[in-house]
Amino acid sequence: MFRTALRNVLAHKARLLMTVLAVMLGVAFVSGTLVFTDTLSNAFSNQSAKSYKDVAVAVTTYPDSENSKKEQGIDARTLEKIRGLDGVAAATGRVSGFAGVADPDGKLIGNGWSNTGANFEPGKDGKDAAYDFTDGSGPAKAGEIALDKTTADKGKYKTGDTVRVATNGPVKEYTLSGVFITEDGQVNAGGSLVLFNTPVAQKLYLTPGHFKDVTITAASGTSEQQLLDAVKPLLPEGAEAQTGKELADDQAEMIEEGMSALNQVLLGFAAIALFVGIFLISNTFTMLVAQRTKELALMRAVGASRRQVKRSVLLEAMVVGAIASVVGFALGLGLATGLRSAMSAFGAKVPAGPLIVSPTAIAAAFAVGVLVTMLAAWLPARRAAKIPPVAAMSSVHAVATTKSLVVRNSIGGFITLLGAAGILGGAVVGKDGRMLIGAGAFFALIGIIVLIPLLSRPVIALVRPLIGKLFGVSGTLAGQNAVRNPRRTGATASALAIGLTLVTGLSVLGVTMGRAVDKMTTDNIKADYMFTMANGGSLDSSALSALEKAPGVSAVSPQTAADFELQGVWAAVSGVTPGDLEQVINVTPVSGSLDSLAKGDMAVDDKTAKSRGLKVGDSVPVKFADGKKSKLTVGATYKANEFLSPILIDQKTVNKHEAKPYIREIWVKTDGGASAANEKALVDALGQNPAISVMDQQDIRNQFGGVINTMLNIMYGLLGMALLIAVLGVINTLAMSVFERQQEIGMLRAIGLDRRKVKTMIRLEAVVISVFGAVIGIGLGTFLGWAIGQTVKDSVPGYALVVPWDRIGIFLLLAAVVGVLAAMWPARSAAKLNMLDAIKAE
């Protein structure tokens, strides 16, 4: 039977080509994902281990930014005591924070969040073991810096050049003393690294004479544990010591967790692609079995049992799956290599390392490829085993069954109703109903797939008169062919329906959320500009002062993050500028007056006021972060606003209790509104600081809504694999349909249907099937998008369902285009058939 199966695969290799491609793409997705994440994990773990290779013990402190009077970090005296311990070969103090480098055009080099500044701490030999200089040397005095080679190359800086660097204060100019190479993770993530002279770095990031971290190297013969036990008694309160091995293990575990999350997401999309591929494979084997009815019946007649016939078909599927797995795995290796290169192209430097091909990746790829193919072929194999020997007397092609589909349709209807009930139930429950919607969506999709042959006749019947009128006899024949075999049409359309269900659901939810966020932004923001730090950190108070004095500014208000204890519970507070706040943010008073903020009162949003039982005139005790207590009067309540904290107080009040106020953002209103001249004046007032991001209203809208669009585009790209496999399914169905209808096509040609009309017939058939699948998918996807939206609407102000008719129209158009493209090869093959040979074909 194995030889028979192998002979059949070789005999039908052209017809199995699309099946091989579908399995190959799915396997490539799976194997590429596993190899890519294993490679990244290994590269970053090796980099981490390398960075801790000479570290016996590492000490980390957690400076208290709330209390400047408290001693911060490890002082120089403690560092010297550590250096004097037996078994210590060297101990190096480190301090770090944000530092952004401007390119010659004044733009920030790097991505902001991973732009770092640190100290250069040379040993007795004048070198810092952490950095390998390719040009010049480390900074020896206050006015010097060193840059990592990637950043220096991007800025086209050479030793001796003047470089503008911003921390969280005004921009300063430094002389470049040297360029170094590093395996620092922040630089590899697309950031930059600036080295300052140690006293300068301490003043910028901590307090003079203190270090945030200390790395200790052990002398020969001293174990890490011995050194750790000796160091711990010397450390101040709040400092933590770990061995280098513990740090490396922790880092490796974090990397593994991050890669695991990426793995799960990518493998989820691979599973979708393979699920779609099941329909293609099943359809292929169903048609092959139908076309080989006489052959299989003869095998039964000469003694083959049902089990042997079934085994023969499954063996064919196993061979096809194995071949596809081999090719798919090789393609997956190429995909992993390409993804790694793409990360570098987008600015994320991946550490050097080999491509990791684990036994798990190999086993998973082949298991997925073979098992999915055999699973999809199981039903066709079962049908093949039921062919009676008497069928050997009939023609080679099986006559389409007319057996009632009542049982199938009843089961499909029940499953669909069960799924719909789950989706509706989840929508009614709200935010806690997402799991219920997920389960309902699964059952609804399965039910629709079971019902789709039944749906094909009435749905396609709606368009048959139209295509008949537009395309004449070709259109009429195409409409009839599309519903001739409902099971086949349904299986082909199901693949497209699954892909478009997911794409449409994401589109409905994404566009609705994007519109709500956009409306929320335009309804609440009056400011012309918003200023933030590129790394998401705190703006320096000097930036607020500079903007207040800038020409053309009519109103400025920061939003300074703070908190205090109110009624025994900590509450989030924003420090704002009274009077100016209402000019930059749309604040709607409910009771009292916001002018009371200038008197030292507080304003509370209506939701917080209700939950805490507060009203205008109440005087309540509060405890600030610095431990000081006071009484604040509720001077106003206002409608809750997504851009403001639940409680507002005067910025001056925050300054009294915060050693270094955390200014999250600054809102600015200018005379004459946003303009190039006003923006330039503001940027100049800030000293053309590359670390400060300036956004106008459109930029603000893009920032909040752009994330949603970016996520949608990523999802579209990942789902593209499933849609591509669905397209292969359409091609395969048409190609095999043409093969088994050779005699019919020959007769049509003989009675006057020319080649052009034959091509038109096949193309229209493909378009009808594709659009049918698209309509089903779009309908179910819209329903799912609405249901999921019901679970998030309470947390998104202004949420209202938006059906993206423009995108839905594009999806339908693309489905029609897919049909035309998928039919190119089958239509050409049908048109080229020799009518006499075709008529003689069995």
Side-chain angles (χ1 to χ4, degrees):
M1 296 305 292
F2 179 76
R3 286 198 301 270
T4 302
L6 188 60
R7 177 184 61 77
N8 285 329
V9 170
L10 294 174
H12 304 110
K13 52 183 178 291
R15 279 174 265 174
L16 289 168
L17 177 62
M18 296 302 167
T19 298
V20 171
L21 285 175
V23 180
M24 179 189 75
L25 289 173
V27 170
F29 209 149
V30 171
S31 59
T33 294
L34 293 173
V35 172
F36 174 63
T37 51
D38 285 348
T39 298
L40 280 190
S41 180
N42 179 73
F44 284 118
S45 295
N46 288 344
Q47 179 194 57
S48 176
K50 183 179 178 182
S51 62
Y52 293 118
K53 183 179 66 173
D54 297 323
V55 176
V57 174
V59 179
T60 302
T61 63
Y62 303 93
D64 185 2
S65 59
E66 304 290 343
N67 189 353
S68 60
K69 294 180 180 179
K70 183 180 178 181
E71 187 176 88
Q72 306 288 314
I74 304 291
D75 60 27
R77 185 173 52 187
T78 303
L79 180 59
E80 287 304 318
K81 287 182 181 179
I82 292 173
R83 285 172 176 162
L85 291 172
D86 291 337
V88 173
T92 306
R94 300 291 181 193
V95 62
S96 61
F98 170 76
V101 180
D103 66 14
D105 296 325
K107 303 297 183 182
L108 182 69
I109 298 175
N111 52 31
W113 58 269
S114 59
N115 289 352
T116 312
N119 65 309
F120 176 73
E121 184 71 0
K124 294 178 181 179
D125 58 357
K127 297 180 179 179
D128 189 326
Y131 309 107
D132 185 9
F133 280 80
T134 59
D135 187 29
S137 59
K141 53 188 179 182
E144 295 180 341
I145 60 163
L147 291 176
D148 68 274
K149 190 174 186 306
T150 302
T151 302
D153 289 344
K154 288 179 180 177
K156 299 179 181 178
Y157 290 124
K158 297 179 181 178
T159 302
D161 288 350
T162 299
V163 182
R164 299 175 71 248
V165 179
T167 51
N168 63 342
V171 182
K172 294 183 179 179
E173 292 187 345
Y174 298 86
T175 301
L176 185 61
S177 66
V179 176
F180 59 90
I181 55 176
T182 177
E183 289 296 323
D184 185 273
Q186 300 287 71
V187 176
N188 287 334
S192 61
L193 179 58
V194 182
L195 296 183
F196 298 95
N197 174 264
T198 293
V200 172
Q202 289 174 330
K203 186 176 179 181
L204 284 171
Y205 302 124
L206 203 58
T207 52
H210 290 73
F211 298 93
K212 182 178 180 293
D213 306 312
V214 176
T215 56
I216 305 164
T217 304
S220 178
T222 304
S223 71
E224 290 185 351
Q225 190 59 46
Q226 287 175 329
L227 208 51
L228 181 66
D229 293 338
V231 167
K232 278 186 175 180
L234 302 178
L235 301 181
E237 183 182 349
E240 180 185 2
Q242 287 180 284
T243 64
K245 185 178 185 306
E246 288 174 339
L247 279 171
D249 290 345
D250 289 347
Q251 192 83 8
E253 187 176 343
M254 288 174 61
I255 292 168
E256 190 68 32
E257 287 176 2
M259 291 300 111
S260 176
L262 178 62
N263 237 347
Q264 290 172 9
V265 172
L266 293 177
L267 288 176
F269 284 97
I272 293 170
L274 286 166
F275 184 58
V276 171
I278 286 175
F279 294 94
L280 189 160
I281 299 163
S282 180
N283 230 8
T284 300
F285 278 94
T286 297
M287 287 188 282
L288 282 176
V289 166
Q291 292 168 8
R292 289 160 48 199
T293 301
K294 185 173 182 178
E295 174 190 331
L296 295 172
L298 283 172
M299 288 174 61
R300 291 292 314 282
V302 297
S305 66
R306 287 188 173 185
R307 181 176 295 181
Q308 285 178 310
V309 171
K310 184 177 178 181
R311 193 183 304 158
S312 172
V313 177
L314 288 176
L315 281 171
E316 290 179 42
M318 185 183 74
V319 172
V320 171
I323 294 170
S325 296
V326 171
V327 180
F329 186 74
L331 188 61
L333 296 180
L335 179 63
T337 304
L339 286 173
R340 184 172 174 174
S341 301
M343 286 187 68
S344 299
F346 283 106
K349 183 181 175 185
V350 180
L355 202 66
I356 303 300
V357 183
S358 66
T360 302
I362 298 172
F366 282 85
V368 164
V370 174
L371 290 179
V372 165
T373 310
M374 293 182 71
L375 175 67
W378 183 79
L379 275 177
R382 187 168 172 270
R383 291 194 195 104
K386 289 184 176 182
I387 296 174
V390 73
M393 304 301 295
S394 64
S395 64
V396 83
H397 299 312
V399 178
T401 178
T402 56
K403 184 180 178 181
S404 172
L405 295 174
V406 172
V407 175
R408 173 182 177 136
N409 295 335
S410 299
I411 294 172
F414 174 75
I415 296 173
T416 303
L417 287 174
L418 182 66
I423 295 170
L424 287 171
V428 171
V429 170
K431 65 179 181 180
D432 296 324
R434 291 168 194 167
M435 292 295 291
L436 187 57
I437 289 175
F442 174 77
F443 284 110
L445 198 57
I446 296 298
I448 290 292
I449 289 168
V450 175
L451 279 178
I452 211 166
L454 174 67
L455 296 173
S456 64
R457 289 186 181 277
V459 174
I460 293 175
L462 295 175
V463 297
R464 282 174 62 182
L466 178 63
I467 60 174
K469 288 181 181 178
L470 292 175
F471 299 96
V473 67
S474 295
T476 302
L477 289 171
Q480 292 173 351
N481 290 334
V483 293
R484 175 185 293 185
N485 190 326
R487 283 195 178 94
R488 183 182 302 171
T489 298
T492 305
S494 293
L496 274 171
I498 293 167
L500 282 171
T501 294
L502 298 172
V503 168
T504 305
L506 286 170
S507 297
V508 170
L509 189 61
V511 171
T512 300
M513 291 289 289
R515 193 73 57 84
V517 170
D518 190 62
K519 185 177 185 298
M520 180 177 66
T521 305
T522 53
D523 286 353
N524 288 297
I525 297 174
K526 293 181 179 179
D528 297 316
Y529 298 101
M530 180 179 77
F531 292 85
T532 59
M533 283 293 288
N535 68 331
S538 172
L539 287 155
D540 190 69
S541 56
S542 62
L544 178 59
S545 300
L547 290 170
E548 288 173 337
K549 298 173 185 176
V553 171
S554 57
V556 176
S557 179
Q559 186 159 196
T560 305
D563 49 23
F564 56 48
E565 191 175 321
L566 175 68
Q567 299 173 325
V569 180
W570 286 96
V573 179
S574 282
V576 298
T577 302
D580 284 10
L581 173 65
E582 300 95 310
Q583 297 182 55
V584 296
I585 298 290
N586 190 9
V587 188
T588 306
V590 176
S591 61
S593 172
L594 291 169
D595 293 338
S596 61
L597 288 171
K599 302 174 186 177
D601 293 347
M602 66 178 179
V604 184
D605 75 34
D606 53 351
K607 292 181 180 178
T608 304
K610 183 179 180 180
S611 66
R612 291 178 178 262
L614 299 173
K615 62 182 182 299
V616 172
D618 286 352
S619 181
V620 291
V622 298
K623 180 182 178 182
F624 290 93
D626 60 359
K628 293 182 180 180
K629 297 180 179 180
S630 180
K631 276 196 171 184
L632 293 179
T633 301
V634 179
T637 61
Y638 61 94
K639 188 176 180 181
N641 189 308
E642 293 297 314
F643 291 89
L644 295 172
S645 295
I647 298 175
L648 305 177
I649 58 176
D650 191 342
Q651 171 72 17
K652 294 176 182 177
T653 305
V654 175
N655 292 343
K656 293 177 184 177
H657 300 281
E658 300 283 344
K660 194 169 184 181
Y662 191 95
I663 303 175
R664 194 166 55 208
E665 59 217 17
I666 301 174
W667 303 91
V668 178
K669 186 77 174 175
T670 56
D671 296 330
S675 67
N678 280 339
E679 184 173 333
K680 185 178 186 304
L682 295 174
V683 171
D684 289 344
L686 292 169
Q688 298 182 355
N689 192 324
I692 297 179
S693 299
V694 53
M695 289 178 276
D696 60 21
Q697 285 202 3
Q698 186 58 51
D699 293 330
I700 297 168
R701 291 166 66 186
N702 291 342
Q703 181 190 40
F704 290 103
V707 175
I708 295 172
N709 289 329
T710 299
M711 290 300 297
L712 271 180
N713 290 333
I714 292 172
M715 297 295 185
Y716 288 161
L718 292 172
L719 288 171
M721 182 74 75
L723 292 174
L724 177 58
I725 292 174
V727 172
L728 293 177
V730 178
I731 296 173
N732 205 36
T733 297
L734 289 173
M736 299 189 76
S737 179
V738 167
F739 176 81
E740 69 180 29
R741 283 156 46 195
Q742 288 183 73
Q743 190 177 64
E744 175 190 316
I745 293 170
M747 290 294 293
L748 289 171
R749 291 275 287 111
I751 61 175
L753 196 69
D754 60 28
R755 289 184 176 181
R756 183 178 61 81
K757 289 181 178 179
V758 169
K759 287 183 179 180
T760 302
M761 178 185 71
I762 302 298
R763 287 170 185 158
L764 287 174
E765 184 180 344
V767 170
V768 168
I769 293 172
S770 299
V771 173
F772 167 60
V775 168
I776 298 296
I778 288 169
L780 184 56
T782 303
F783 181 46
L784 282 175
W786 165 80
I788 297 170
Q790 294 299 107
T791 68
V792 300
K793 69 175 184 179
D794 291 338
S795 58
V796 181
Y799 180 93
L801 180 69
V802 178
V803 179
W805 296 111
D806 54 343
R807 298 195 186 195
I808 287 175
I810 291 172
F811 296 157
L812 286 171
L813 181 61
L814 286 176
V817 171
V818 161
V820 172
L821 294 177
M824 286 180 65
W825 173 43
R828 185 168 176 270
S829 299
K832 289 176 65 178
L833 285 175
N834 183 290
M835 66 180 76
L836 293 178
D837 291 339
I839 291 171
K840 291 189 294 181
E842 294 184 336

